[in-house]
Amino acid sequence: MSDSPARDTARYGGPLVPRRTARLLLVLGAALALVVLVLVGLRFADQPVRSELISYDHVGEHEIRVDFTVTMTPGDAATCTIQAMNDGRAQVGFVEVPIPAQTERRTAHTVTISTQGEAVSAEILDCSPV
């Protein structure tokens, strides 16, 4: 046995907003989401230099080796900033690595960072064109 729509409205109340207003809000929300998506896409698509951490290895008590790749237009140069961190995520080492102009779009690089304590991880903070 099912209740009639009038009985449901009497029991639970009507909609909070009229149907027309709900459609308008839905269209406006979808348009706003699309604008945000496009802006975020343009922000990340416009990066002239991209980097990716491949691995890090503890060479010694005060050294860590970092392997990473850099993707940029052939012929461009860049500088990458890499940090080493301890188990409390405090910075224990820091280096700026110059990446000279390359002939390939994606290139692999390795750097050894001297640390002021035991490093347990590393991350690339930034890679920017020169």
Side-chain angles (χ1 to χ4, degrees), residues 8-68:
D8 287 344
T9 302
R11 178 181 282 178
Y12 302 111
L16 294 176
V17 294
R19 180 173 283 183
R20 184 175 180 157
T21 304
R23 284 184 189 154
L24 179 64
L25 289 174
L26 183 64
V27 168
L28 288 175
L32 180 64
L34 183 62
V35 167
V36 169
L37 183 65
V38 167
L39 290 176
V40 169
L42 288 175
R43 164 72 176 102
F44 286 107
D46 195 28
Q47 291 181 330
V49 179
R50 287 188 306 274
S51 60
E52 181 182 3
L53 180 73
I54 301 299
S55 67
Y56 50 86
D57 187 27
H58 308 280
V59 178
E61 187 176 338
H62 295 284
E63 282 187 328
I64 189 169
R65 186 180 69 233
V66 179
D67 296 315
F68 62 102

Side-chain angles (χ1 to χ4, degrees), residues 58-122:
H58 308 280
V59 178
E61 187 176 338
H62 295 284
E63 282 187 328
I64 189 169
R65 186 180 69 233
V66 179
D67 296 315
F68 62 102
T69 61
V70 176
T71 305
M72 61 185 171
T73 305
D76 288 353
T79 299
C80 293
T81 306
I82 303 172
Q83 74 175 354
M85 297 165 295
N86 65 13
D87 58 356
R89 302 247 338 129
Q91 185 184 80
V92 292
F94 176 87
V95 67
E96 287 188 351
V97 183
I99 308 293
Q102 306 288 316
T103 57
E104 300 292 322
R105 180 164 178 74
R106 184 174 179 159
T107 55
H109 303 275
T110 301
V111 65
T112 301
I113 304 173
S114 296
T115 62
Q116 298 175 345
E118 186 177 359
V120 298
S121 65

